[in-house]
Amino acid sequence: MKILKVLIVLLVVFSIGAIAVYYLGTNMASEKIVNEATEQMESSGKLDKVKEYVESDPELSGYIEEAKAADESSLPFNTTGQATRVLVQKVGMSELNTIRTEVQNGTLTPQEAVQKLEGKLTEEEMLALKVIAYKEIYNQQ
C-alpha cells in the first residue's frame, strides 16, 4: 500500500513537471523563433518588403486595420507562446509545416493560407493572431 502511494505521488509530480516543461518550452521556443525571424528579416530588408506587400494587398491591409482596432483584453491569447500552443493543438505541426512550405514555394497564396487557418480557428483566435502579427510586423509592444 505504501508503494502505491509513493508511485501515485511520483506520477503526479512527474505529470506536473511535464506540463510545466511543455508550457515553458513552447513559450521559449516560439519567442526565440519569432525574435530570430524578425531579426533576419530586418537585417536583410525583407521586413520592409513584407510591410509593403501587406499594405498593397487590400485584404491583408484590412486584417491590419482590424488588428489595430481590436480590444486586446478580450482576446483568447496575447503572446506568441500562447498562439503557438493553440495553433499546434488546433491545426497540428504537420499541417502548419505544409502551409509554410506551400507559401514559400508559391503554390499557396497568403490569402489561401489564412483561409485554411480560418477553417480551424475561431474568429477570436484569428483576431488574436492578427494582433500578434501586427505587433511583430510594426514592432508594436
Side-chain angles (χ1 to χ4, degrees):
M1 192 65 162
K2 187 175 184 174
I3 293 175
L4 184 61
K5 288 180 184 178
V6 170
L7 286 175
I8 290 173
V9 168
L10 286 175
L11 181 63
V12 169
V13 169
F14 284 129
S15 297
I16 292 171
I19 291 170
V21 167
Y22 171 75
Y23 280 100
L24 293 175
T26 55
N27 279 343
M28 289 174 24
S30 63
E31 292 293 332
K32 182 178 178 182
I33 290 168
V34 168
N35 289 338
E36 286 179 6
T38 303
E39 286 176 19
Q40 287 177 354
M41 290 178 73
E42 284 176 346
S43 65
S44 67
K46 289 183 181 178
L47 189 58
D48 293 329
K49 290 179 183 178
V50 168
K51 287 178 187 178
E52 289 174 18
Y53 180 78
V54 167
E55 291 167 357
S56 68
D57 186 306
E59 188 174 352
L60 294 177
S61 62
Y63 292 153
I64 295 300
E65 292 304 317
E66 189 179 350
K68 282 183 190 178
D71 177 19
E72 292 184 42
S73 65
S74 66
L75 298 176
F77 51 83
N78 295 310
T79 66
T80 55
Q82 294 168 336
T84 302
R85 276 194 294 280
V86 169
L87 285 171
V88 168
Q89 288 173 352
K90 292 201 170 187
V91 179
M93 280 301 297
S94 61
E95 179 72 13
L96 288 170
N97 196 36
T98 301
I99 292 171
R100 179 190 59 81
T101 303
E102 289 177 353
V103 168
Q104 284 179 338
N105 293 338
T107 58
L108 187 70
T109 66
Q111 292 84 357
E112 291 170 333
V114 170
Q115 288 174 350
K116 280 188 171 189
L117 292 176
E118 285 175 339
K120 300 199 184 241
L121 301 172
T122 66
E123 287 182 35
E124 293 82 17
E125 291 166 339
M126 283 301 297
L127 181 58
L129 287 176
K130 292 172 189 175
V131 169
I132 290 171
Y134 167 74
K135 286 180 176 180
E136 290 299 326
I137 291 172
Y138 292 97
N139 221 4
Q140 303 288 317
Q141 298 302 327

